[in-house]
Amino acid sequence: PGDSVEALDAETLAVRYRLRGHEPGFVSIATSEAAGLIATADASPAASGPRTIRVRLWALDTGEVIDEFIADGRITTSVLAFSRDGMWLAITNEGSVSVYSVAERRPEQTFLVHPFFAVFDVAFTADGSGLITCQSHPMLWDIATGEKRRHFGPFDDICQSVDVSPDGREIVFDLLGDIYVMPIAGGEARVIARGVAWDMQPKYSPDGRQIAFARARGGGDNTWVMNRDGSNPTQVSDED
């Protein structure tokens, strides 16, 4: 149904439950196994007044709604992300990102990444003390102070997605169809996927040994995996 989000069984792909009652349009989703939660964000109902960001928390094992709150900003949210321990929830809104305390349902820190253009993606550092934003370049922010710790780059292209390795030592990100890795402490960026195909949305495997990514080539988007150093790229899905 148009107002619901479906949770599927990983092995059978059968629908386990549906998260119902979302407003029509874009819905953002994030999950945290550590906290046992799913977070969704959509527009608040039109009848409730100005259209703002409505965030709901659901039980990961049952799909039952636990709580909801209105986040700062307008309805243009595009990304949600939990910290690894499930304590923080990042919510993007146009060019800013707010980090919410999951337990207290209140913003702990807000970063203005760009005054005009939207933030495309975010990822927490392994220890949860920092947040990496993806816009014109990846940037590392300190959650406690609100200050920018590090600017990765500069690059000529736009960063559209980012992830942090399980060991917390490096980041992987895409720049207009190419995929790079870079030490989180700073240093040289190294391209690990480049070519005619458009490669994007890289994510580390739980053990950090591989990177999954989407590759657009020949009219279809497919899932691929490669080793952490970029070797042995292998197609997993087969979509036309």
Side-chain angles (χ1 to χ4, degrees):
D3 69 339
S4 68
V5 175
E6 294 182 341
L8 306 181
D9 184 275
E11 294 184 0
T12 67
L13 300 183
V15 176
R16 290 182 54 198
Y17 52 76
R18 291 184 172 91
L19 312 179
R20 299 184 182 276
H22 295 93
E23 288 292 295
F26 187 83
V27 178
S28 301
I29 306 171
T31 61
S32 171
E33 291 191 28
L37 293 173
I38 302 172
T40 62
D42 64 348
S44 59
S48 66
R51 305 278 276 183
T52 54
I53 303 168
R54 177 178 58 177
V55 178
R56 276 179 284 185
L57 300 176
W58 314 73
L60 182 59
D61 57 348
T62 65
E64 295 181 2
V65 65
I66 297 173
D67 198 4
E68 73 173 62
F69 60 93
I70 300 299
D72 295 336
R74 297 184 293 174
I75 63 173
T76 55
T77 181
S78 57
V79 176
L80 299 175
F82 280 104
S83 59
R84 294 187 184 180
D85 58 11
M87 291 181 58
W88 306 115
L89 177 66
I91 305 172
T92 71
N93 180 253
E94 297 184 333
S96 66
V97 184
S98 294
V99 176
Y100 277 73
S101 165
V102 173
E104 301 180 18
R105 319 288 199 258
R106 63 171 178 81
E108 182 73 18
Q109 193 64 260
T110 298
F111 310 106
L112 178 61
V113 181
H114 199 284
F116 306 113
F117 301 113
V119 176
F120 295 111
D121 199 12
V122 295
F124 284 91
T125 57
D127 63 3
S129 68
L131 185 75
I132 298 175
T133 59
C134 209
Q135 205 273 327
S136 55
H137 315 292
M139 289 183 281
L140 174 60
W141 303 81
D142 188 286
I143 294 174
T145 66
E147 297 179 353
K148 182 166 60 179
R149 286 191 205 164
R150 187 163 297 110
H151 184 121
F152 301 96
F155 302 101
D156 295 331
D157 296 325
I158 296 174
C159 171
Q160 295 184 305
S161 60
V162 64
D163 195 27
V164 177
S165 62
D167 59 16
R169 295 180 180 178
E170 69 181 15
I171 62 173
V172 61
F173 55 96
D174 61 19
L175 294 172
L176 290 183
D178 299 328
I179 296 177
Y180 294 78
V181 293
M182 192 172 185
I184 201 166
E188 182 178 353
R190 179 168 53 89
V191 63
I192 58 172
R194 170 180 284 169
V196 176
W198 189 279
D199 297 330
M200 54 193 170
Q201 300 172 352
K203 295 293 179 184
Y204 286 98
S205 61
D207 61 7
R209 301 171 66 177
Q210 292 182 304
I211 295 173
F213 63 100
R215 170 167 286 180
R217 183 169 62 182
D221 293 351
N222 284 286
T223 301
W224 288 60
V225 294
M226 59 184 167
N227 294 332
R228 185 164 170 166
D229 62 2
S231 63
N232 194 31
T234 304
Q235 186 172 340
V236 175
S237 67
D238 187 13
E239 300 288 338
D240 292 333

